[in-house]
Amino acid sequence: MPVLAGAVLLAVVAAGAVVVLVRPWDGGAGAPAGGGPRDERTTRASPSMTAELTGEEAWAVAAVTDDRAGHAGSFGSWLAGGLLVRADATGVVGLAAGTGEPRWKLPPPDGGKFCGVGQEARNGTAVLAYGSLRRSEVVQGMTHVDCTAITLVDLATGKRLWSADLRDTDNYRSLRRGGLSPPKRASLAIVGRSVVVAYGFSAVGYGLADGAKSWEIKDARGKGDGGSCAFTDVLAAPDAAVMLATCDKAYPVAVFGVNASTGARRWRTDLTADQVGHDSGVATWLVSAKPIVLAAVMGEPRYLVLGKGGKRVTTIPRTGEYGTLDMSAVGLSGTDRGRFRALVAGRTMVTLTKERKVNDYRSSNAVVAIDLTNAELLWSRSLGEEATAIPALIDRETAIVMRGGTYEEPPQPYRLKLADGSGGAMGPAYSRDLIGLAHTSLFRFGGKRLFLVSEIHTKLAAVALS
């Protein structure tokens, strides 16, 4: 009998050792399509397992009461120099990444509002557009933003390194001569040693070091009727600035690859109304510039993928073997830049399907990976029969995905392999207070903490998950 007991004890210890050594993302809730659903309550990571995250909040910053009812406006977030930085229309705030304590705050200059933000930082700096407020001549009590300047901000200190005036552009002068108001937004990107601004009928380049204007594209003509194209969006590619413009009815969208230092055009692709799916380019946005992916959301929504030099165009329709994709734009309100729940890494796009109502209180969706070269489904993954998922970010060869959360199954992050969708929870579930937060947040991952930065900020402006 003692021998048998010893054998049983040895088996239990060995099994325990296996549990401790297994990485939590090697298994977990949900399953790739075709594998059948798993019971999440039996597979969720527990605190005793070796996990990346503990299930505890490191800190949270409450939303400002006055901002709860409204949209945040221009929006961005960065990790830099031990800080989490959050930007919206009303200001930029630097928070200590370890504690959430405010380190600095930068309001928009001259009592105005921010009206555009570069999506990525470079060398610890970020670029934003801003402008003054103007009373509406039509609706009493309403104000508009005249977006007329840009500034480069040091993310470590919150200091403005330089500012540049957009009122010396051809676009601004042309609008004013015609008695029209200045633009309400601008799209910006830091590309190499330059800042590139998509500003209506002008595309402008400024030196990153000093803000000196170096070039301007003043009159890009449409391929169809020959009218002027208006630049609406820009992102940074490894070797160029990729810019989007809306043109004419026959060719609603033009995509440009431009030398960011000189403004010289490297290539141009004009997309037809059939390719874009409608005859107006105003609802088409850049999702990625590495590779180039566009979201066209008018008519029948679709993603468009451009090959090297913009020569090949692959269409990913909203509905395919992967199901029906959720192509609703997050943060698209008025003149704000559309943002989509799509992550791009190499030849793979990770996105999600539309929510399917399970019962009166619960919905479900799936995370899907699509091959950008041929629009074929690579894998599909559910996080539970009554759970919704939100793609958060790409980290190494994996995608971090957040479960939106319900009372029974609170919010929880997962790490899924880009190759096949396998993986599992990064740690235990988090507080029920975070239910729904992930649906309107930007995400940053610092290696040991996952930061959620809320856009609508109905309750929290930012939270750090340990």
Side-chain angles (χ1 to χ4, degrees):
M1 194 66 165
V3 174
L4 178 59
V8 171
L9 178 61
L10 181 60
V12 171
V13 171
V18 172
V19 171
V20 171
L21 293 176
V22 166
R23 294 183 303 171
W25 56 89
D26 282 337
R38 299 176 186 173
D39 185 351
E40 186 166 3
R41 287 169 293 184
T42 64
T43 57
R44 188 192 308 170
S46 65
S48 63
M49 293 178 64
T50 299
E52 292 183 81
L53 300 174
T54 66
E56 300 294 330
E57 293 180 23
W59 52 263
V61 176
V64 178
T65 303
D66 293 342
D67 291 339
R68 290 187 180 185
H71 190 272
S74 64
F75 185 71
S77 179
W78 310 273
L79 283 174
L83 298 179
L84 173 70
V85 181
R86 181 189 189 280
D88 63 27
T90 62
V92 190
V93 180
L95 306 170
T99 64
E101 295 179 359
R103 290 288 186 258
W104 55 262
K105 182 173 183 179
L106 176 67
D110 306 321
K113 282 192 174 183
F114 287 115
C115 50
V117 57
Q119 298 302 300
E120 298 300 331
R122 182 175 177 85
N123 297 331
T125 61
V127 62
L128 297 97
Y130 64 94
S132 58
L133 293 176
R134 174 173 48 84
R135 292 183 182 275
S136 172
E137 298 177 0
V138 179
V139 182
Q140 186 176 5
M142 181 176 289
T143 58
H144 300 290
V145 180
D146 290 342
C147 196
T148 56
I150 64 172
T151 187
L152 188 73
V153 177
D154 183 338
L155 296 177
T157 64
K159 293 182 178 179
R160 294 167 56 198
L161 301 178
W162 53 256
S163 293
D165 197 335
L166 295 174
R167 290 175 293 186
D168 69 346
T169 61
D170 186 69
N171 179 55
Y172 180 86
R173 291 191 295 266
S174 297
L175 290 173
R176 300 308 290 161
R177 282 196 300 267
L180 301 175
S181 301
K184 299 177 182 178
R185 66 175 296 274
S187 182
L188 314 92
I190 299 177
V191 190
R193 298 180 180 179
S194 300
V195 173
V196 180
V197 186
Y199 191 62
F201 298 110
S202 293
V204 197
Y206 298 88
L208 182 61
D210 56 8
K213 183 179 175 181
S214 52
W215 56 267
E216 181 178 357
I217 300 174
K218 299 181 179 181
D219 191 15
R221 312 301 293 180
K223 183 178 179 180
D225 60 20
S228 296
C229 297
F231 294 97
T232 57
D233 207 0
V234 59
L235 287 179
D239 58 348
V242 175
M243 290 191 294
L244 200 64
T246 178
C247 298
D248 50 57
K249 187 172 182 177
Y251 295 87
V253 173
V255 189
F256 297 80
V258 174
N259 184 313
S261 298
T262 66
R265 191 175 76 194
R266 292 184 172 174
W267 53 266
R268 170 176 173 169
T269 296
D270 291 277
L271 301 176
T272 67
D274 287 341
Q275 288 174 310
V276 177
H278 58 94
D279 60 2
S280 172
V282 296
T284 301
W285 304 92
L286 286 167
V287 174
S288 167
K290 307 176 282 189
I292 301 168
V293 180
L294 287 65
V297 298
M298 292 291 284
E300 182 61 33
R302 65 197 66 189
Y303 289 106
L304 301 172
V305 185
L306 274 60
K308 187 175 182 180
K311 294 181 180 179
R312 187 195 72 250
V313 179
T314 301
T315 300
I316 301 175
R318 180 173 60 171
T319 300
E321 61 175 330
Y322 34 76
T324 299
L325 302 180
D326 184 350
M327 291 192 65
S328 55
V330 182
L332 185 59
S333 174
T335 58
D336 298 334
R337 183 183 189 278
R339 181 166 56 85
F340 298 85
R341 293 300 187 197
L343 309 175
V344 176
R347 297 170 51 183
T348 303
M349 178 173 72
V350 177
T351 185
L352 68 157
T353 62
K354 289 188 66 174
E355 292 185 11
R356 175 181 57 84
K357 190 173 182 180
V358 177
N359 53 49
D360 290 341
Y361 306 100
R362 299 287 183 265
S363 296
S364 178
N365 66 1
V367 181
V368 295
I370 300 172
D371 190 323
L372 292 173
T373 62
N374 54 25
E376 291 183 356
L377 175 68
L378 297 174
W379 50 263
S380 178
R381 175 73 185 263
S382 169
L383 297 188
E385 293 182 355
E386 297 183 359
T388 55
I390 303 97
L393 52 90
I394 299 291
D395 182 50
R396 295 166 286 174
E397 300 301 316
T398 67
I400 293 178
V401 176
M402 282 293 299
R403 183 174 66 191
T406 62
Y407 187 85
E408 295 83 2
E409 302 287 355
Q412 192 170 19
Y414 290 73
R415 187 186 286 276
L416 308 180
K417 293 179 181 178
L418 290 175
D420 58 11
S422 63
M426 297 172 69
Y430 284 85
S431 167
R432 295 186 179 97
D433 292 339
L434 303 183
I435 291 174
L437 180 67
H439 290 275
T440 58
S441 289
L442 281 175
F443 303 87
R444 298 291 174 183
F445 186 56
K448 294 183 179 180
R449 281 183 177 167
L450 178 62
F451 300 91
L452 280 67
V453 184
S454 173
E455 182 166 24
I456 308 300
H457 48 137
T458 54
K459 181 185 293 185
L460 297 174
V463 61
L465 306 183
S466 292

